[in-house]
Amino acid sequence: MTKHYVLSLNPHAQHDWERCTLRNPITAERPDLASLIAEAVGECGGSYLVAVNIEIKVLEQAPISQSERIHFEMPVVMPAPQLKELVA
């Protein structure tokens, strides 16, 4: 069974779950790999020891868009000057 997905790698993503995503190229849904394996095994209930071979072929690569390259930098804040003690 051959399935095609779009793998997006964004090392500058704001959240961990956005750094590596796998999506269906038509529906944009994330694949449920367990369901795909169950579909290949069949409908008979039980526990199965399965071997899963994943062969990766890069068919096309698109560069990261400028909006995905935005880096969030924290501004440099200078410490407040120390105030001298007031003596009455």
Side-chain angles (χ1 to χ4, degrees):
M1 159 182 14
T2 300
K3 300 281 185 177
H4 291 88
Y5 297 104
V6 175
L7 173 67
S8 298
L9 301 175
N10 185 356
H12 306 294
Q14 186 174 7
H15 303 287
D16 287 340
W17 61 85
E18 295 173 336
R19 291 190 180 163
C20 179
T21 58
L22 193 63
R23 299 213 182 260
N24 182 308
I26 298 172
T27 64
E29 295 175 344
R30 292 184 180 208
D32 181 4
L33 297 179
S35 294
L36 291 173
I37 294 168
E39 181 183 318
V41 168
E43 297 179 12
C44 187
S47 296
Y48 298 86
L49 175 63
V50 298
V52 178
N53 296 320
I54 297 177
E55 180 182 339
I56 307 298
K57 293 180 184 177
V58 177
L59 301 177
E60 185 176 337
Q61 180 183 2
I64 296 176
S65 67
Q66 186 63 27
S67 63
E68 293 173 338
R69 290 185 187 181
I70 296 174
H71 294 276
F72 294 98
E73 296 182 14
M74 298 297 293
V76 176
V77 178
M78 299 302 292
Q82 295 294 330
L83 299 176
K84 295 181 183 178
E85 281 188 36
L86 296 176
V87 179

